[in-house]
Amino acid sequence: MHAPTTELVLLENFKTAKIYLEEEKNALIVTITRSYIPMNEFKEIFNKAYEFIPLYSINKLIFDKRKLMVFHQPSMEWYFVEWKEKAFNMGLNTIRKVLPDDKIFKQSVKIGWSKIANEHPNAKFHQMNIAYVHSIEQALND
């Protein structure tokens, strides 16, 4: 049995990413389109995502990082500590991440996450339902 095909609505198109809405699941999908994102652009993308959370009653974010080749720790720290804090307070409670098929990238994410988690034990992201998945479809149905 196949999952129903859902239509994604393009909400925003950046040089390094696209933001889509999947209305049926109240999901926002941030798809990275380049191998590296400078921190100022990363913040611009996710600050724009804030606008859509209350507008569409978003409770799930899918972060598709499959095109990324470079892991940037300061961006990840901002995303976990500041962005997720505000997003959680706006009603976002579920995050699914699709990583590139790159062992070094995945290990960098794991190390970076451990560092952030240890340095911020009371951050809101600890209360979120966060998981890694293999595809957008899996993320939507998870």
Side-chain angles (χ1 to χ4, degrees), residues 28-30 42 46 60-66 71 75-77 79-81 83-84 94-100 105-106 109-110 112-113 116 125 128-136 138-140 142:
L28 201 62
I29 303 168
V30 176
F42 186 83
F46 280 92
K60 179 187 273 189
L61 172 79
I62 300 167
F63 190 4
D64 181 358
K65 306 183 199 183
R66 288 177 288 182
F71 173 81
S75 294
M76 184 177 179
E77 189 159 345
Y79 169 70
F80 267 85
V81 178
W83 190 85
K84 286 182 180 178
T94 301
I95 297 180
R96 295 293 177 262
K97 299 178 185 185
V98 186
L99 296 178
F105 188 93
K106 289 177 181 178
V109 167
K110 186 176 180 180
W113 183 89
I116 294 166
F125 70 84
M128 297 176 113
N129 177 348
I130 302 172
Y132 295 97
V133 294
H134 298 289
S135 68
I136 300 287
Q138 182 185 7
L140 286 169
D142 186 23

Side-chain angles (χ1 to χ4, degrees), residues 23-136:
E23 290 181 283
E24 188 177 305
K25 305 277 186 175
N26 294 78
L28 201 62
I29 303 168
V30 176
T31 300
I32 304 306
T33 58
R34 300 272 174 96
S35 61
Y36 173 74
I37 302 176
M39 188 163 182
N40 62 329
E41 289 181 37
F42 186 83
K43 284 184 170 184
E44 182 183 354
I45 293 160
F46 280 92
N47 282 332
K48 186 66 176 178
Y50 281 139
E51 296 176 25
F52 300 127
I53 294 170
L55 186 62
Y56 297 105
S57 302
I58 300 297
N59 55 32
K60 179 187 273 189
L61 172 79
I62 300 167
F63 190 4
D64 181 358
K65 306 183 199 183
R66 288 177 288 182
K67 295 267 186 185
L68 276 179
M69 302 293 285
V70 178
F71 173 81
H72 188 248
Q73 180 67 23
S75 294
M76 184 177 179
E77 189 159 345
W78 173 83
Y79 169 70
F80 267 85
V81 178
E82 293 181 40
W83 190 85
K84 286 182 180 178
E85 183 93 11
K86 185 174 177 182
F88 180 84
N89 290 334
M90 297 171 88
L92 182 73
N93 55 27
T94 301
I95 297 180
R96 295 293 177 262
K97 299 178 185 185
V98 186
L99 296 178
D101 190 22
D102 178 329
K103 290 179 184 179
I104 294 170
F105 188 93
K106 289 177 181 178
Q107 186 63 27
S108 295
V109 167
K110 186 176 180 180
I111 292 167
W113 183 89
S114 294
K115 179 182 180 291
I116 294 166
N118 288 333
E119 290 175 358
H120 303 278
N122 299 317
K124 297 278 191 207
F125 70 84
H126 291 288
Q127 298 174 45
M128 297 176 113
N129 177 348
I130 302 172
Y132 295 97
V133 294
H134 298 289
S135 68
I136 300 287

